[in-house]
Amino acid sequence: MTSKIDSIIEDFELLEDWDDRYRYLIELGRALPPFPEERRSEQSKVQGCASQVWLVSDASTGAEGPRLAFQGDSDAHIVRGLVAILLALYSDRPARDILAADPGAVFARIGLKDHLTPQRSNGLRSMVERIRADARAALEGAPL
């Protein structure tokens, strides 16, 4: 069974033209479930992003320790697609796996690392750091 992120990587590898890849990225963002209005707050907003980005996590306890599920949204189409990729990579995973994951390798493999503006790259790093901070907090038993 292929994971969501593996499926996304395979789809990107099939698309040779960058216009098609950007369209696919936008489609991924459009397919995100609606973000609950009550979760749009200053606390859920990701600092360091030029666009508005909201990320929230919910922790549960599993056999492998805390497991996190993420929800996210952005007011920018391409950034919303980046959120979708990050959710596919990180959501519903144990906190330890989240901290061990290498998002840079995924973005390099699909070619986005070299095709994002510096502003979007900075925002992407901010989103990843927020996700990792939530995973660290879950491991330490802190409320998210």
Side-chain angles (χ1 to χ4, degrees):
M1 183 172 148
T2 354
S3 70
K4 285 182 205 176
I5 194 64
D6 291 332
S7 179
I8 289 171
I9 290 169
E10 287 172 14
D11 289 346
F12 264 100
E13 289 174 343
L14 292 173
L15 302 169
E16 293 180 22
D17 180 86
W18 268 98
D19 286 339
D20 291 339
R21 286 182 177 203
Y22 282 124
R23 275 193 285 280
Y24 178 58
L25 187 60
I26 291 167
E27 285 175 32
L28 289 172
R30 285 187 179 136
L32 280 175
F35 190 78
E37 209 48 51
E38 66 274 6
R39 296 196 96 174
R40 287 180 201 274
S41 66
E42 283 305 308
Q43 183 180 349
S44 66
K45 210 177 221 187
V46 178
Q47 301 305 313
C49 294
S51 308
Q52 292 191 87
V53 177
W54 298 270
L55 279 173
V56 293
S57 60
D58 296 299
S60 59
T61 305
E64 61 284 286
R67 183 176 206 86
L68 281 81
F70 293 93
Q71 289 179 302
D73 197 12
S74 176
D75 63 347
H77 295 296
I78 289 176
V79 177
R80 195 163 201 257
L82 296 175
V83 169
I85 291 173
L86 290 176
L87 296 186
L89 178 62
Y90 288 119
S91 198
D92 299 320
R93 295 190 56 195
R96 290 187 200 293
D97 291 356
I98 290 168
L99 292 172
D102 181 5
V106 170
F107 280 86
R109 184 166 171 201
I110 60 180
L112 276 172
K113 185 177 179 184
D114 298 326
H115 288 87
L116 292 178
T117 64
Q119 238 177 354
R120 284 196 182 116
S121 293
N122 288 337
L124 182 61
R125 276 190 292 281
S126 295
M127 289 184 269
V128 169
E129 186 45 46
R130 168 55 119 12
I131 289 168
R132 288 182 171 185
D134 284 0
R136 284 190 294 274
L139 285 170
E140 294 167 2
L144 300 177

